[in-house]
Amino acid sequence: MSREKKRMFVASIALALVIGGVMPSYTSAAVEQTKSHVQIRQIVEGTVVENWGNEIIIKGDSGERYHVGLHTFAEEQIQAMNFLVGAFVQIEGEVLDSVADFYNFDYFVKNLPLGVTEDEINKLELLYNDVINLEKDELWEEAGELWVQINRITNPYYLANWEPEPFDVYIDMFEYSFTSDDLLQMEELYNQWISLAKSGAELESGEKIDQFFEIVNSYYIEPTFDEYIIDLGTTISKVDYPVIKKLYEDARQASSDGEDQLSMDKWEAFDLVMRPYYRAANPMPTFDEQMTYYDFEVSKEDFSKLQKVYTGIIESELNGKYEQVDSQWESFYSILEPYFSINVNIPFRATQVIINGETFHR
């Protein structure tokens, strides 16, 4: 575990209540007659190269890539599809202008809590469509004002459907040995937080959960330097050991004394001298391993250039020339940039999926 994770206090948890495309060469098109217009449904075929749950990336036989949104399907359907990398799929749907179009109002309604009335859904549709247009124009402040109106309608229903964990279950997530007195106080604060949150008293409920985590945080103990090194799984040289240990302890002391800037400076100095040891504990992949991260092929000439730059990155790391590493990575990705541009993902909303001989309709 990294030092950052080990020394990070548990953050207060607030109750969360909110929830350029190139036209593809597609295999065929079907025509679906709707009530008032004719819609062209496109069919794409390809191999799954990435799976993100309700979004997948597929690569067609001719090299085109599609970023496929499955948001119109039920979660149970998506699980049943069981997309595996390398699986062949046939997907029917429509090309979109951007990935943001996955999250249309149909998707929003699908994720609304129980109880929202038809009249409220009509109001939400107007607000939501306005929000999407404002966000496309990057008018974030104006969009935020509309989100406030949306949340004002939906939050009471989220709260009504919210089923918080019992205190005994929730407290098990912490690995501290709380005293009996603290457990009693925390249980009271936890129950007050739930009651106030359900009543819509956001400010008061926030105060209760903050108090809850003040008790939790008081049990956190920064590991000693030796404990940290053992957990990291590396060995510090005899020459570096006293220098690095002093930086670690000075940083801890500055944090304890509330000297934030000094603490930050000490931690940065600590991270710098520890960098070779971090790298030893987490070696860089070989060049061949690095290239497997990209699902496209590069020319022989570019392959040779990339290999040379990557070898330089490894040498800079090994020799402690960290000031050169960032520019070397920039050179590496500048060679790859044309390939990323060519292999742009085409946003595609799925309405039908055929995989493993089984057909799924939204």
Side-chain angles (χ1 to χ4, degrees), residues 244-340:
I244 297 176
K245 182 177 181 180
K246 187 174 189 310
L247 282 171
Y248 185 86
E249 292 176 345
D250 287 350
R252 286 183 61 189
Q253 187 61 51
S255 296
S256 178
D257 295 341
E259 299 184 54
D260 295 338
Q261 186 58 53
L262 178 60
S263 173
M264 186 181 300
D265 292 342
K266 292 293 184 180
W267 282 125
E268 287 179 356
F270 173 82
D271 286 336
L272 183 62
V273 295
M274 278 294 295
R275 190 162 175 173
Y277 297 103
Y278 291 143
R279 178 55 71 203
N282 302 280
M284 288 181 64
T286 65
F287 175 69
D288 288 337
E289 290 171 338
Q290 179 72 24
M291 294 306 293
T292 63
Y293 298 157
Y294 316 114
D295 59 357
F296 51 76
E297 294 184 2
V298 300
S299 69
K300 290 183 178 180
E301 181 181 358
D302 285 338
F303 187 89
S304 179
K305 290 179 182 178
L306 288 164
Q307 189 170 30
K308 183 177 179 180
V309 174
Y310 194 78
T311 300
I313 293 172
I314 293 177
E315 290 176 354
S316 295
E317 286 269 1
L318 291 174
N319 295 320
K321 298 180 180 179
Y322 304 121
E323 69 281 358
Q324 298 179 9
V325 172
D326 287 346
S327 62
Q328 288 173 312
W329 274 118
E330 287 178 7
S331 297
F332 185 85
Y333 282 110
S334 68
I335 299 171
L336 286 175
E337 181 57 36
Y339 297 95
F340 288 128

Side-chain angles (χ1 to χ4, degrees), residues 20-291:
V22 178
M23 289 300 292
S25 57
Y26 44 86
T27 308
S28 62
V31 179
E32 175 186 22
Q33 181 72 42
T34 64
K35 290 181 180 179
S36 58
H37 65 283
V38 175
Q39 177 184 358
I40 302 299
R41 299 184 303 173
Q42 299 164 357
I43 297 176
V44 299
E45 295 180 341
T47 302
V48 178
V49 294
E50 293 182 49
N51 178 9
W52 307 335
N54 58 6
E55 296 176 29
I56 61 172
I57 304 295
I58 67 171
K59 188 172 184 179
D61 294 336
S62 58
E64 71 278 13
R65 291 165 56 95
Y66 300 91
H67 185 158
V68 180
L70 305 164
H71 306 86
T72 57
F73 292 87
E75 291 302 319
E76 296 78 6
Q77 289 179 297
I78 296 174
Q79 291 178 15
M81 291 174 193
N82 189 28
F83 290 106
L84 299 176
V85 173
F88 180 81
V89 295
Q90 179 178 299
I91 299 179
E92 183 177 292
E94 59 179 325
V95 171
L96 304 176
D97 291 332
S98 73
V99 170
D101 292 331
F102 287 152
Y103 310 102
N104 60 8
F105 187 67
D106 288 340
Y107 171 76
F108 180 76
V109 168
K110 171 185 168 184
N111 292 279
L112 283 176
L114 296 174
V116 182
T117 67
E118 185 174 347
D119 182 54
E120 288 171 326
I121 288 176
N122 291 333
K123 293 178 182 176
L124 288 168
E125 183 171 12
L126 295 174
L127 289 168
Y128 187 82
N129 289 335
D130 285 344
V131 162
I132 295 302
N133 290 329
L134 289 170
E135 290 183 347
K136 284 182 178 180
D137 294 334
E138 298 186 359
L139 298 173
W140 307 114
E141 185 175 347
E142 293 85 344
E145 292 173 359
L146 294 188
W147 274 118
V148 171
Q149 296 181 46
I150 290 173
N151 294 335
R152 195 173 294 137
I153 296 172
T154 60
N155 282 359
Y157 296 101
Y158 282 114
L159 286 168
N161 288 276
W162 177 40
E163 296 182 1
E165 294 178 314
F167 175 75
D168 292 343
V169 175
Y170 185 76
I171 202 65
D172 280 345
M173 70 181 284
F174 306 105
E175 298 177 353
Y176 301 130
S177 297
F178 298 109
T179 66
S180 298
D181 288 344
D182 281 342
L183 280 173
L184 287 173
Q185 186 178 357
M186 292 166 73
E187 183 172 12
E188 182 178 359
L189 288 168
Y190 183 76
N191 290 332
Q192 289 175 340
W193 168 60
I194 292 172
S195 177
L196 288 166
K198 278 188 167 290
S199 70
E202 295 181 14
L203 181 61
E204 294 84 350
S205 67
E207 291 173 352
K208 296 301 179 183
I209 201 64
D210 285 345
Q211 292 172 33
F212 176 95
F213 278 100
E214 284 177 8
I215 300 174
V216 174
N217 292 340
S218 69
Y219 281 82
Y220 176 79
I221 300 174
E222 187 83 42
T224 66
F225 177 68
D226 289 331
E227 289 171 338
Y228 173 69
I229 294 302
I230 290 172
D231 190 49
L232 183 63
T234 191
T235 302
I236 307 298
S237 73
K238 291 182 179 180
V239 175
D240 289 341
Y241 183 89
V243 176
I244 297 176
K245 182 177 181 180
K246 187 174 189 310
L247 282 171
Y248 185 86
E249 292 176 345
D250 287 350
R252 286 183 61 189
Q253 187 61 51
S255 296
S256 178
D257 295 341
E259 299 184 54
D260 295 338
Q261 186 58 53
L262 178 60
S263 173
M264 186 181 300
D265 292 342
K266 292 293 184 180
W267 282 125
E268 287 179 356
F270 173 82
D271 286 336
L272 183 62
V273 295
M274 278 294 295
R275 190 162 175 173
Y277 297 103
Y278 291 143
R279 178 55 71 203
N282 302 280
M284 288 181 64
T286 65
F287 175 69
D288 288 337
E289 290 171 338
Q290 179 72 24
M291 294 306 293

